[in-house]
Amino acid sequence: MQLPHQRGPLHDLPDTPEAYDTVLADVVEQALRRITPDGNLEHPDCYDDIGDTSLGMTSLLALANQRARDPRLCDAVLRSVRFHLRERVFTEDNPGYPNLKMRNSGLPYARYVLEAGAHPIGDWPSTVWALLQTVNVVEVGDRILHDELRYELCELALGYWRWLTEATFFNPQEAGNQAIGCVVGGLMLARQLHGDKGKDVRERALSLYHDEIRAHRVSDRGALLPPEHGGAYDNNYGPISLSFLAQAHLVSGEDVFAEDGEALARYIDARLTNGGFDNGGPRYSEQHSGFESVLGLRYFGSRIGSDIGRYRGDSRWARHAAKPDGGVDGHFAWMLVWQIQNSTRWHRTPSTTPARHQLRAGTVSVAFDSKMTPSLVEADGTYYLPAAVNRQHGFGPVLDGFLLCRPMGEVRVRDLQVDGLTAKLVTKPVVGRDHVLRHIRSLYVTDGTRLWMTVALERLDGAPYLLAGLPYAADDGDRARRTAEGDVTSAGTLRLTHPTGQGADHFDARSELTQEQAAFALAADPRGYGNPDEGWRHLVGSTALEADPAPGAPENLHVFAVRYGPGAGEFTPAFETGEDGLALSVRTEAFTAVIGDPAGDADAEPELTLLA
């Protein structure tokens, strides 16, 4: 089966004005066929996320008219604006809404679901989206709106802003993308208001960003990130936050948005495989957004000089929100407006600067988590997740069911590039169940086609093996499909094992269940509201590659050697220790590496020598 959401890289989308004119032309024709006599532009199947959708279509029609005057559009824009003002603005409190600070404020807001009391929790983000759509209509509808209507829309937007920042708790869902979107709405609104009124809104927006968003950033892999639904990053909403940071910088010119956007962009670059596959997040562990991410990936990819647009998006939402029948939906339409207005082009070449939490060359990549354990391995178009044994997840040596990969002390990293080879050495102290401190040295070397992983540590009693990954997905044209195998070779005996236990907490890669579905099944809350990352941590066991120690290793060491990707012939690496018994020489068919003393050199830094 193919994965449903992760499809082609977003930077494969054309970014020329002509391409966007074609997109707008299609939107216009759909809208003109759809508009009702009273001006409604909503998709007939729209039920939730509805409060901003008709006005979103209006903004796209106004933009199309701004770019190429079309006599059919003026009436459609005016009718649809009046429809929104008449039918989609609510001023009476929604029964059951839990996040009010002020009852019966009379301020306008948008509903997630139109019926009173039906799923009111979504009203806060829906009002953010309605604020953005309203301000966009004002900005791009200058050729259509008369002064009185423009004033009415600005007052509506100001009312939305006050409801979001005065009548309710700010960012009640702890969702970074929603909160930054609200700040962007305030910054854009401020440009439309005169005098002190506009100045006050701008200052309030900036203070909210500093005090309510930036001050609460969460650390992951050495980066400070806007929290997303209780986690540091979500692979659906995180790139959307990047788009909001891009627009905030474009609108305000404030350096803080550029700085934070570049930090998030570098984080995305490091965690993302070469092929654009990613998973993880407190809401949607394996889904990916589409057009909502394009502005941020394009803008900040250019600023940091890397191809973060390789991010696999959902091509069904490649240009705009769409319903299952393919029909355009006005939800999030401001993102398409902003993309068209911004002239930044895709940066499609990788950065050559080494990153601590990434090894990448050619078609091979390894993304590392905060503890410098691989979180994703990619080789030959196959993606490997950390496997699970006895509720422990990762890549590393296992002895008596205990996985040795969690550091007890400082983790040190050394990067090296030599004659077409790219290498990363990770050294970490770990403690086993016997409370003995051991130093693990993990060497990752790639020639851009294959990946060699060598793991060495002090000799263990018993029969250890290396947990070498869970084969999960593989490239299949412009899609990714589920898999339960990969092209992997080991110096010692290699086994592909599958869990014998039953239930959601035993993940068998041969089943059709996706990682996301399994993670939600283990989460404490319902799908869509739980934390799948937290749920996945309850996984007891999984399909796993298990590699026995390599033969011929020095007597004082256990060494594991695994090669991912296509290889010619047998894999028979040779090992030798230096006179001190600490430095380890590793010789394969492609390179010779010398790994230094586990304690490091005179400055306690990892020692690594590499020869092609």
Side-chain angles (χ1 to χ4, degrees):
M1 58 171 286
Q2 291 179 318
L3 297 179
H5 301 285
Q6 300 203 35
R7 303 189 179 210
L10 287 172
H11 67 197
D12 288 352
L13 295 170
D15 55 2
T16 63
E18 293 76 18
Y20 278 117
D21 284 337
T22 301
V23 173
L24 275 180
D26 177 60
V27 171
V28 165
E29 296 307 318
Q30 287 194 51
L32 292 178
R33 289 194 300 269
R34 177 188 302 169
I35 191 169
T36 63
D38 63 354
N40 189 350
L41 283 167
E42 294 160 2
H43 189 284
D45 295 336
C46 193
Y47 170 73
D48 55 16
D49 264 327
I50 194 172
D52 68 302
T53 60
S54 182
L55 201 58
M57 294 292 291
T58 305
S59 70
L60 294 174
L61 296 183
L63 179 63
N65 185 72
Q66 187 185 67
R67 289 169 67 85
R69 295 204 176 196
D70 185 333
R72 301 175 299 169
L73 298 183
C74 289
D75 177 66
V77 168
L78 292 172
R79 272 199 291 152
S80 58
V81 166
R82 293 187 180 106
F83 168 80
H84 181 84
L85 292 171
R86 185 176 64 249
E87 303 291 342
R88 294 295 178 259
V89 178
F90 296 86
T91 55
E92 294 183 359
D93 293 352
N94 199 350
Y97 186 70
N99 298 313
L100 291 175
K101 293 168 62 177
M102 182 192 309
R103 288 189 176 276
N104 303 314
S105 67
L107 292 170
Y109 68 95
R111 285 187 178 174
Y112 178 77
V113 174
L114 296 180
E115 291 87 350
H119 200 50
I121 195 70
D123 289 356
W124 201 88
S126 289
T127 304
V128 174
W129 312 153
L131 166 62
L132 290 166
Q133 309 283 31
T134 304
V135 177
N136 263 354
V137 169
V138 172
E139 288 198 351
V140 301
D142 53 339
R143 292 180 174 177
I144 300 175
L145 303 176
H146 53 75
D147 290 346
E148 184 179 341
L149 191 54
R150 181 187 179 282
Y151 175 81
E152 189 173 355
L153 286 173
C154 285
E155 287 297 299
L156 173 63
L158 183 59
Y160 284 150
W161 172 254
R162 291 188 58 204
W163 188 85
L164 291 164
T165 60
E166 297 175 22
T168 66
F169 290 94
F170 183 78
N171 190 20
Q173 295 184 24
E174 297 181 351
N177 76 97
Q178 298 173 9
I180 304 172
C182 182
V183 168
V184 172
L187 293 172
M188 295 182 69
L189 172 61
R191 300 193 303 185
Q192 301 300 322
L193 302 175
H194 298 296
D196 289 342
K197 189 181 289 188
K199 181 181 178 182
D200 290 345
V201 171
R202 177 186 169 91
E203 289 180 353
R204 176 68 169 145
L206 293 175
S207 69
L208 284 169
Y209 183 74
H210 282 278
D211 299 339
E212 300 294 337
I213 301 172
R214 200 166 198 264
H216 298 282
R217 287 176 298 170
V218 180
S219 177
D220 187 43
R221 308 185 197 195
L224 289 174
L225 308 172
E228 187 55 63
H229 286 287
Y233 180 80
D234 185 281
N235 74 347
N236 181 25
Y237 292 125
I240 296 176
S241 285
L242 192 66
S243 288
F244 282 130
L245 288 169
Q247 182 67 4
H249 185 243
L250 289 166
V251 171
S252 71
E254 293 287 334
D255 291 340
V256 65
F257 298 116
E259 293 168 5
D260 291 355
E262 289 176 13
L264 177 54
R266 290 191 181 94
Y267 171 87
I268 291 173
D269 191 22
R271 71 172 286 142
L272 198 59
T273 57
N274 179 76
F277 177 82
D278 187 21
N279 74 308
R283 280 294 295 272
Y284 297 108
S285 64
E286 202 177 335
Q287 293 193 41
H288 273 208
S289 49
F291 79 105
E292 315 102 295
S293 304
V294 166
L295 176 66
L297 294 170
R298 209 169 66 189
Y299 185 71
F300 284 110
S302 177
R303 288 185 68 94
I304 69 170
S306 192
D307 59 335
I308 55 176
R310 67 186 185 276
Y311 177 100
R312 284 181 185 262
D314 192 331
S315 57
R316 295 166 298 182
W317 279 41
R319 294 299 196 182
H320 49 66
K323 289 298 184 184
D325 65 359
V328 62
D329 184 352
H331 187 50
F332 265 52
W334 64 85
M335 287 293 192
L336 178 55
V337 173
W338 299 343
Q339 289 169 42
I340 294 173
Q341 291 175 328
N342 182 259
S343 60
T344 305
R345 308 300 292 271
W346 283 116
H347 184 100
R348 295 185 171 96
T349 56
S351 169
T352 57
T353 304
R356 177 179 173 89
H357 295 92
Q358 178 197 64
L359 174 74
R360 182 185 177 203
T363 58
V364 171
S365 58
V366 183
F368 296 87
D369 63 18
S370 292
K371 298 176 180 178
M372 289 307 297
T373 298
S375 60
L376 264 175
V377 170
E378 172 195 19
D380 196 31
T382 300
Y383 304 94
Y384 303 85
L385 302 177
V389 56
N390 290 345
R391 301 184 187 275
Q392 304 159 92
H393 302 194
F395 288 75
V398 177
L399 179 64
D400 296 332
F402 187 82
L403 174 60
L404 296 162
C405 72
R406 293 171 297 281
M408 180 68 72
E410 188 66 24
V411 179
R412 293 179 168 87
V413 178
R414 176 75 185 276
D415 288 286
L416 203 60
Q417 292 180 317
V418 175
D419 295 334
L421 297 174
T422 303
K424 186 183 292 287
L425 173 63
V426 178
T427 65
K428 63 172 72 171
V430 301
V431 175
R433 292 197 193 279
D434 55 7
H435 299 277
V436 175
L437 183 71
R438 296 179 174 88
H439 291 273
I440 292 184
R441 291 174 284 178
S442 301
L443 175 65
Y444 308 86
V445 180
T446 179
D447 61 0
T449 302
R450 296 164 292 176
L451 171 71
W452 291 266
M453 180 191 299
T454 306
V455 180
L457 76 163
E458 294 93 329
R459 182 165 287 273
L460 301 165
D461 295 329
Y465 64 89
L466 181 74
L467 197 64
L470 157 64
Y472 177 69
D475 290 336
D476 184 13
D478 62 352
R479 297 284 297 277
R481 60 175 170 79
R482 281 293 312 283
T483 189
E485 57 188 11
D487 193 347
V488 181
T489 310
S490 171
T493 302
L494 183 71
R495 299 175 296 276
L496 180 63
T497 65
H498 303 285
T500 56
Q502 301 295 315
D505 55 359
H506 293 81
F507 186 79
D508 191 327
R510 297 170 299 182
S511 73
E512 292 192 351
L513 196 68
T514 66
Q515 185 271 345
E516 179 189 11
Q517 291 168 332
F520 267 116
L522 295 168
D525 296 306
R527 179 178 173 80
Y529 304 96
N531 184 334
D533 273 6
E534 187 177 278
W536 187 251
R537 285 194 285 270
H538 295 301
L539 193 68
V540 173
S542 73
T543 293
L545 288 162
E546 299 176 356
D548 285 340
E555 290 185 0
N556 64 327
L557 297 175
H558 265 126
V559 180
F560 305 90
V562 176
R563 183 182 64 200
Y564 299 83
E570 294 183 2
F571 179 45
T572 55
F575 311 97
E576 185 178 345
T577 53
E579 293 182 0
D580 59 2
L582 298 173
L584 175 67
S585 172
V586 180
R587 187 171 68 252
T588 73
E589 74 278 16
F591 64 88
T592 297
V594 179
I595 306 170
D597 184 334
D601 60 16
D603 296 320
E605 291 302 315
E607 296 179 277
L608 175 62
T609 303
L610 186 65
L611 297 173

